[in-house]
Amino acid sequence: MEKNSLTVEKLFELGAHFGHRKRFWNPNMEEFIFCEKNNIHIINLFKTQEKLLEFYDIFKNLSAVGNKIMIVGTKRAANTYVESFGIETEMPYISHRWLGGMLTNWKTIRVPINKLLEYEENKASGQLEGMIKKEAVQLEKEMKKLLLNFDGVKDMKGLPDALFVIDVENEKIAVQEALKMGIPVYGLVDTNSNPNNLTNFIPINDDSSKTIKFVLNYLAQAVKEGQESARKQGLVQKLEGEGGPKVFSLNSTTQKVPAKADSKSQQEDILKPTTVESEEAVEKVSKAATKAAPKKTAAKAAPKKTAAKAAPKKPAAKAAPKKPAAKAAPKKTAAKAAPKKPAAKKK
């Protein structure tokens, strides 16, 4: 499907103009409502066409740079088409259930994803066949549960660059987490939704499976076109990034510049005298080093530090502790001099 093949008549045939009942409408969508018929709002398909053409360019430019667009659609009318969109464009997707913290707590969410990848590796290598039947059945059940929740994001290494939501009201938690993490949010908006917090949106009937399928196929073509141009640009950049002045084209072989051989010979001629001079300088430096070498050895032969170590005065100070002997003597003499008092009493 080409970009210019989109017409208002095609959107009208798909039923993209049907909105919700009047009592459920959101005043912020008044600009995109064409009229009211049988108490139901009719969406202005001319503005829907403009937005779809604008989205085609947005998705093409995002994928051309290599950005990852996560698509979220868990309602029954959209989950199968969301899954096919993700597989076809190799983009991350959530089609079963949005788990809280998918964006705000990505490190924790990564734990069960790693477990799922480990189970898949074990199954591919045949390790489950050697296990007990009961254990193998339990692992397969756990693997199915993990696949329902994380099959679309198991190859995602980090947070996505953009979020595309099928129904803004149904995926409120996903929109809030993306806004909290600063991720631009795009989506399909019906007459009962609030589009103020979104980066850009398409006013359309988001409850019809036909319109959802048409929009996703249309945008998938834009993503593929952007990815194809990115591959071509990447090939050109890879070729131009190789060393040497060369002329490259995608359909022709590489051509070397003829002046490259002359530049090599000139460089060799210039380097020859410099190498001779450098050799002479090295010889002079080596001679000077040999003359200065014995002085350093003599200085090393007379290490005065060893002499200082050979005369340790600390043990001599320890060997002459006469203080304890001096203290012990006066106590004994004082004890002997004390008995002279009874002799004075006899007289």
Side-chain angles (χ1 to χ4, degrees), residues 321-335:
K322 294 182 179 180
K323 291 181 180 179
K327 288 180 181 178
K331 288 182 180 178
K332 292 180 181 180
T333 53

Side-chain angles (χ1 to χ4, degrees), residues 219-237:
L219 296 178
Q221 186 65 30
V223 173
K224 286 181 183 178
E225 190 175 343
Q227 289 174 347
E228 190 175 350
S229 64
R231 290 187 189 115
K232 290 181 180 179
Q233 290 176 2
L235 179 61
V236 172
Q237 289 175 2

